Amino acid sequence: MASEKSNATQWMERIAGSGALAKIEAEIKKGGGFSASGAIGSSTTMVAGAFWMKLKSPVLLVTAHLDDADEACEELRGMGCEAVVLPAMEVAPGETSVSIDLLAARLGLVKRFSRREGEQCVIVAAIQSLMQAVPDAAKLDGMLKEFRAGDRIRQSELVKWLDDVGYKRVESLELPGEYAVRGGIVDVFPSGGTPARMDFFGDEIDSIHEIDLDSMGSDRKLERIELAGATVEAVRSDEGSVLMTQYLPAGCVGIISELLEVQEQGRSYYERVADARGIFATHAVFAGMQKHCAAVVDVNHYGAGAFPDRMLDVPVSALPTFAESTPEAFEDLTVLARQLEVFIACQSEGEVARTRELVGELVKDDTAKARIHCEHRYVHRGFVWDASATNGSFALVPHQELFHRYQVRRRVRSTGGGVNRALDNFIDLKPGDYVVHRDHGIARFAGLRAMSEKEGGGGDEFLTLEFAGGAKLHVPASKIELVQKYIGGFRGQPELSSLGGKRWKHQKEKVTEAVRDLAEDMLRLQAERDSRPGIRYPADTTWQKEFEAEFGYEETEDQVSAIAAVKADMGNVTPMDRLICGDVGFGKTEVAMRAAFKAVEFGKQVAVLVPTTVLAEQHERTFRERFADYPFRVESLSRFKTGKEQNTILEAVGQGQVDIVIGTHRLLSADVKFSDLGMVVIDEEQRFGVEHKQRLLSFRATADVLTLSATPIPRTLHMALLGLRDISSLTTPPVDRRAIVTEVISPDRRRIAQALQRELAREGQVYYVHNRVNDIQSVADDVLQMAPDARVIVGHGQMSARELEQVMLKFVRHQADILVSTTIIESGLDIPNANTMIVNNAHAFGLSELHQLRGRVGRSKHRAYCYLVLPKDRTISEVATKRLRALEAFSMLGAGFKIAL
């Protein structure tokens, strides 16, 4: 294979030096507008980047979709271009606040260009973001406020302004867009910036310091802090609102990618927005571009451009389709490399190393091998450049297209985020909380105070506990280990114990007896485990390191420690029994996949047990994509497979021809025989019944067991917390993950229609959960009336396996906008584009079930919304009310652990 030393931007240099770009440059110098035919894959983005690299001229690249803008920006930055995205505001008609982080990014970019700072860059913008108005220079100052030490401002004025512009007041900072007040101190977490503490002395800011979110202590001193904020009325007001094109740098070149698609998306967006204040039509945006750009070019896949009298050709063509199997795909790659040079763009160094290894093994033609280059670059979609030319032609092949791994997304760069301290915050006691005293039972916490010598306290601090009959007990703070927060269900308030009574003593004795029985079962199981030596896996191999390096995201600190703990368990002789407790979307599956890879590379089989057919299907796709580069076979057993297919898979499992088998409770059937089972992964253990758990206990005696759960059952969680089972907790949210806005609402059609419009306006998808099959179609018809332009589909468990599979695939591929379904989506669907959920008759669901449902949204950088709709004319029970209040209260990142507690 060719040397990689000078290939970092070789294809960009070839585009920049091509005759096609020289012609485009000549037309740009003439000014005005012209069209270019030839837009395949990411070719238009690369042309924009090459133009910027060659002339260092500012470029505005306009895309049809919000995701296209993000992809293009990521590609350009990877090529060394200075690129920024103009974000769109995600506001539904009637809303009174905007997303502070999106607004801050948007206003920050406007301010940057209004000051003529950093003008030499590529501005990437979806048509929707350009249609949204930005404030003029006079208005901008009121929306971006700068505070310095020594500034005179009343603390109350600052707090009022923060409230007015959408910041949320909290007890302790965790996320961007929050602020906290304690005495003369105001803590604030600006979006995209550093959390800061402003210390007031009277009506003056005495000092500003950065905050360490782990300790909440003041860190280094800051000169200033800039805060952004505005109301919808201020942003959307026609007065003082202008087009973003007014701020474009001098000499900027406008490039429109796929004009017809841009026009269609702009028209659709304008029609969906009921309140058009502050929204410009598409033709106004194009007019603004022609006025403020040195030249405008629209690049189209087909020849139909806006300027038929001035047409150029961009020399691009489509990549060939690569075969599904890896050996055949590399045969196709060999054929391509015999014709022209091939650049394979990989998203990580692990992918680069593994792809080079496969090229060395599978490409037998030395001439072709020398023309294949692997690079650590992100490219969304590939293309062939100037294939007819003898010099300078090449094929750009993204790793995901070669291996058909379209679900794996690129790494995202951190823009600053919060630290989650779910457990610490939950255990903090507040007056009125119920507590348990080890010796005296259940009491109500009345407060913490210092007691004087006259009161018998000697000036020390005491916890005051109130028992039945108003009896009070003062517990010295030095003996706080005697008291812990009461963790109970939602069956009403616990009965207070009588101070000095015998009832608590009898309860403890009954529990002690039950614990003794449980301990006996556990000791028997532990003795059996200890008497049978487990599998001792070796240290990480090169393949293991490459597999882990191919992960499409940055690992969180908790993931790193959990993975290390799992590997340590697998390196011990005793079989592993570990619980991975982490909220939905926090990376439990990746921990399991790395453990599974270690097992199958050592020649062992892995069984992945999941509660639903949909989750089995999702895991099969995820595992296959992650394991695509390696010679391991992944299969699944579910009702999506025919009886004949299941029998074939079972036979292969028994003969050791399947390395990883994923399935529902079907895996626990007596006819499932493994050749050499080494590991069992149990996803969402709380969803399995008692008879299934008895079979799972038999696994624990012989194989490594890894249990994954967002809301573990009380017994599992308690055993883990007591140290009877190993536990790893994932509490750190992934980069760019935001808390899900959760609201309990009445069945207001206008409110629901607004929520649907907001999601559809940002090109997202919606889950509409209705858990009754008999009238689900009429509910879907009603949804269609509220969103007449949407593509609505229905899915439920009584459909045939093939029909349900088609419905799910259609939604996954964004061939539908709204999925009206029963709770079959509760586990399994991982669709970052779906970020609004509406749960009908939410009072009828369990707490864990609601939390799992809510976890289907909020899996991307977009703000997610979950609406829990109550029935119109029906009394809600006290238990259901508490359940919904808990879900609404615990909507922060990492809330699953709090809900489990």
Side-chain angles (χ1 to χ4, degrees):
M1 194 165 63
S3 167
E4 310 303 324
K5 188 174 181 181
S6 60
N7 287 332
T9 57
Q10 205 177 106
W11 75 73
M12 293 288 280
E13 291 171 1
R14 293 189 185 193
I15 294 173
S18 66
L21 203 76
K23 291 179 182 177
I24 292 173
E25 185 184 342
E27 288 297 322
I28 286 171
K29 287 179 179 177
K30 294 177 185 177
F34 64 98
S35 301
S37 64
I40 302 289
S42 297
S43 62
T44 304
T45 303
M46 299 304 167
V47 167
F51 182 81
W52 179 88
M53 291 176 67
K54 185 177 181 181
L55 300 180
K56 286 294 187 284
S57 174
V59 175
L60 170 65
L61 176 61
V62 183
T63 66
H65 303 277
L66 297 170
D67 286 344
D68 289 347
D70 291 334
E71 300 285 359
C73 187
E74 191 72 14
E75 289 174 317
L76 290 166
R77 287 173 179 169
M79 305 309 146
C81 301
E82 185 184 344
V84 293
V85 172
L86 176 68
M89 289 188 298
E90 300 168 359
V91 186
E95 282 191 318
T96 57
S97 63
V98 293
S99 172
I100 289 294
D101 44 0
L102 286 176
L103 183 66
R106 191 173 170 86
L107 294 182
L109 200 61
V110 173
K111 191 165 189 176
R112 170 181 170 180
F113 288 111
S114 70
R115 292 173 174 173
R116 305 300 179 191
E117 295 173 356
E119 294 181 333
Q120 306 304 315
C121 69
V122 182
I123 308 163
V124 188
I127 185 63
Q128 296 95 318
S129 61
L130 283 177
M131 291 167 69
Q132 294 172 353
V134 296
D136 61 19
K139 244 171 110 177
L140 192 59
D141 291 337
M143 294 183 181
L144 277 173
K145 286 188 179 291
E146 184 178 274
F147 299 94
R148 293 178 177 271
D151 285 353
R152 294 192 63 80
I153 180 174
R154 288 183 181 176
Q155 184 177 331
S156 57
E157 289 178 11
L158 172 62
V159 169
K160 185 179 183 303
W161 182 80
L162 290 171
D163 282 330
D164 289 344
V165 299
Y167 279 80
K168 180 182 177 183
R169 185 165 180 168
V170 294
E171 290 295 320
S172 181
L173 298 186
E174 284 192 11
L175 301 168
E178 295 179 343
Y179 79 95
V181 180
R182 289 188 307 281
I185 292 174
V186 177
D187 293 346
V188 63
F189 197 159
S191 175
T194 304
R197 174 164 294 154
M198 290 186 271
D199 200 340
F200 280 80
F201 183 76
D203 293 340
E204 183 178 309
I205 301 175
D206 189 50
S207 63
I208 304 175
H209 286 86
E210 185 178 329
I211 300 174
D212 179 0
L213 287 176
D214 286 316
S215 64
M216 291 310 295
S218 297
D219 212 329
R220 67 185 178 91
K221 199 169 185 178
L222 298 175
E223 291 292 323
R224 64 184 184 89
I225 181 174
E226 189 172 70
L227 303 177
T231 60
V232 170
E233 287 74 17
V235 173
R236 286 196 158 183
S237 169
D238 291 327
E239 184 182 346
S241 297
V242 297
L243 276 164
M244 178 62 193
T245 52
Q246 184 170 309
Y247 290 104
L248 292 176
C252 183
V253 175
I255 299 178
I256 303 172
S257 179
E258 298 289 3
L259 176 68
L260 295 179
E261 181 70 7
V262 167
Q263 286 177 323
E264 176 59 26
Q265 290 303 316
R267 181 194 62 78
S268 176
Y269 172 66
Y270 194 82
E271 288 177 355
R272 277 178 174 159
V273 177
D275 181 4
R277 286 180 305 143
I279 307 293
F280 292 94
T282 317
H283 62 82
V285 174
F286 291 158
M289 287 181 65
Q290 289 182 308
K291 180 179 179 180
H292 295 285
C293 290
V296 177
V297 53
D298 64 278
V299 187
N300 301 278
H301 178 51
Y302 303 104
F307 307 97
D309 297 335
R310 293 179 68 185
M311 289 288 297
L312 292 176
D313 290 324
V314 178
V316 293
S317 56
L319 282 174
T321 302
F322 296 100
E324 289 281 348
S325 76
T326 300
E328 292 176 5
F330 274 80
E331 288 178 14
D332 297 337
L333 187 69
T334 303
V335 172
L336 187 63
R338 288 182 184 135
Q339 303 167 12
L340 66 166
E341 278 196 275
V342 175
F343 296 93
I344 303 175
C346 303
Q347 297 184 44
S348 67
E349 291 295 347
E351 286 183 357
V352 171
R354 181 59 182 155
T355 306
R356 287 178 183 170
E357 190 178 330
L358 288 172
V359 169
E361 291 175 8
L362 300 176
V363 179
K364 307 301 182 185
D365 186 326
D366 290 338
T367 304
K369 189 180 294 185
R371 303 179 77 178
I372 298 174
H373 314 278
C374 294
E375 301 182 7
H376 182 189
R377 289 285 182 275
Y378 174 68
V379 176
H380 181 44
R381 293 170 296 171
F383 58 89
V384 174
W385 178 267
D386 198 16
S388 60
T390 55
N391 190 17
S393 61
F394 64 89
L396 183 56
V397 181
H399 180 274
Q400 64 268 21
E401 288 192 37
L402 179 61
F403 290 100
H404 300 273
R405 292 179 57 189
Y406 300 105
Q407 294 298 315
V408 177
R409 298 175 293 278
R410 66 191 183 278
R411 294 177 188 270
V412 289
R413 292 171 172 79
S414 174
T415 56
V419 177
N420 190 273
R421 302 180 299 280
L423 185 58
D424 298 338
N425 288 342
F426 188 82
I427 291 175
D428 286 343
L429 291 174
K430 300 185 293 292
D433 286 348
Y434 288 95
V435 295
V436 180
H437 189 284
R438 189 173 68 192
D439 299 325
H440 300 291
I442 299 173
R444 187 184 289 109
F445 176 59
L448 178 70
R449 68 187 184 93
M451 296 180 69
S452 65
E453 290 187 19
K454 189 180 292 185
E455 295 173 297
D460 294 334
E461 286 193 324
F462 287 78
L463 288 81
T464 301
L465 309 184
E466 187 177 322
F467 289 84
K472 292 185 178 179
L473 177 69
H474 303 293
V475 182
S478 59
K479 293 188 177 181
I480 197 170
E481 74 276 2
L482 296 174
V483 181
Q484 70 176 46
K485 190 164 186 174
Y486 170 80
I487 298 170
F490 291 91
R491 292 183 290 237
Q493 297 175 350
E495 185 180 346
L496 298 181
S497 301
S498 297
L499 193 59
K502 294 183 178 180
R503 186 178 173 187
W504 179 251
K505 183 181 179 183
H506 293 322
Q507 283 180 317
K508 284 176 67 176
E509 287 172 354
K510 278 182 67 176
V511 171
T512 301
E513 190 176 336
V515 168
R516 192 178 292 116
D517 292 339
L518 174 62
E520 189 177 322
D521 290 340
M522 293 187 62
L523 285 171
R524 178 183 51 77
L525 178 62
Q526 192 64 42
E528 192 176 349
R529 285 163 59 86
D530 290 343
S531 64
R532 298 187 186 185
I535 309 154
R536 189 167 189 170
Y537 293 93
D540 288 355
T541 63
T542 303
W543 272 16
Q544 178 84 32
K545 292 172 183 174
E546 289 173 355
F547 178 81
E548 295 182 1
E550 290 175 0
F551 183 45
Y553 304 94
E554 295 289 346
E555 297 91 344
T556 65
E557 291 179 16
D558 291 339
Q559 270 184 307
V560 172
S561 61
I563 291 162
V566 169
K567 288 180 179 178
D569 289 347
M570 295 177 74
N572 293 333
V573 175
T574 309
M576 173 174 67
D577 187 7
R578 179 170 289 275
L579 167 67
I580 305 292
C581 181
D583 217 341
V584 282
F586 273 40
K588 300 186 296 294
T589 304
E590 177 63 21
V591 176
M593 281 197 287
R594 295 188 184 188
F597 188 93
K598 196 172 190 69
V600 297
E601 192 185 4
F602 194 62
K604 297 293 180 180
Q605 289 175 299
V606 174
V608 182
L609 190 62
V610 299
T612 66
T613 302
V614 174
L615 185 52
E617 182 77 5
Q618 174 79 34
H619 273 341
E620 181 186 22
R621 185 163 58 246
T622 304
F623 272 74
R624 278 187 172 171
E625 287 175 351
R626 283 286 275 125
F627 283 73
D629 302 7
Y630 303 89
F632 302 123
R633 183 177 171 186
V634 178
E635 296 289 353
S636 77
L637 283 173
S638 70
R639 72 185 187 94
F640 281 168
K641 298 284 193 295
T642 63
K644 184 179 179 182
E645 288 172 332
Q646 288 189 32
N647 290 334
T648 303
I649 292 169
L650 286 174
E651 187 178 342
V653 170
Q655 294 174 358
Q657 297 170 359
V658 174
D659 300 287
I660 299 174
V661 60
I662 302 160
T664 57
H665 57 275
R666 177 74 178 84
L667 273 184
L668 301 175
S669 304
D671 63 333
V672 180
K673 307 291 183 186
F674 292 91
S675 170
D676 189 4
L677 182 64
M679 177 180 290
V680 179
V681 178
I682 306 168
D683 202 354
E684 299 301 340
E685 183 187 29
Q686 75 274 11
R687 300 288 304 282
F688 294 97
V690 176
E691 70 279 6
H692 299 142
K693 288 193 171 70
Q694 292 304 313
R695 183 77 199 277
L696 296 179
L697 282 174
S698 66
F699 285 138
R700 287 195 165 91
T702 54
D704 285 340
V705 177
L706 191 62
T707 305
L708 315 177
S709 183
T711 52
I713 55 177
R715 174 173 156 172
T716 300
L717 179 61
H718 202 226
M719 288 167 64
L721 292 177
L722 290 176
L724 302 177
R725 286 182 66 183
D726 296 318
I727 181 173
S728 293
S729 185
L730 306 183
T731 60
T732 308
V735 171
D736 285 349
R737 185 65 54 85
R738 303 178 193 174
I740 300 166
V741 177
T742 305
E743 288 186 54
V744 179
I745 63 172
S746 61
D748 182 347
R749 286 175 60 84
R750 179 174 164 275
R751 184 79 184 278
I752 295 171
Q754 286 177 356
L756 297 175
Q757 283 180 2
R758 182 209 294 112
E759 194 58 56
L760 296 174
R762 64 181 183 182
E763 299 177 321
Q765 293 170 277
V766 179
Y767 295 110
Y768 196 106
V769 180
H770 180 77
N771 207 28
R772 284 165 48 186
V773 176
N774 62 330
D775 62 344
I776 195 169
Q777 189 58 55
S778 63
V779 170
D781 295 339
D782 192 43
V783 170
L784 190 57
Q785 287 182 4
M786 289 187 281
D789 294 335
R791 298 166 295 176
V792 180
I793 56 173
V794 175
H796 55 79
Q798 292 182 18
M799 288 178 162
S800 69
R802 293 297 177 195
E803 190 181 3
L804 181 58
E805 184 179 19
Q806 288 304 311
V807 167
M808 293 304 174
L809 285 175
K810 190 177 284 188
F811 195 66
V812 167
R813 292 167 180 166
H814 203 172
Q815 294 167 354
D817 302 307
I818 303 174
L819 172 61
V820 180
S821 78
T822 56
T823 53
I824 55 168
I825 62 155
E826 179 183 344
S827 300
L829 286 187
D830 180 7
I831 304 175
N833 199 48
N835 282 299
T836 293
M837 171 171 286
I838 297 164
V839 183
N840 210 14
N841 294 323
H843 68 291
F845 294 84
L847 186 59
S848 175
E849 198 172 26
L850 284 171
H851 182 63
Q852 285 288 345
L853 279 169
R854 181 173 62 178
R856 296 308 103 209
V857 296
R859 303 174 83 89
S860 76
K861 63 184 182 301
H862 294 296
R863 173 70 76 189
Y865 300 85
C866 178
Y867 298 96
L868 307 174
V869 185
L870 300 179
K872 195 168 188 177
D873 303 313
R874 195 165 175 179
T875 304
I876 308 300
S877 69
E878 184 184 357
V879 174
T881 302
K882 287 189 175 184
R883 194 184 298 137
L884 295 171
R885 280 178 183 166
L887 200 76
E888 196 172 31
F890 297 140
S891 61
M892 70 292 291
L893 294 169
F897 201 85
K898 297 185 178 186
I899 289 171
L901 284 168

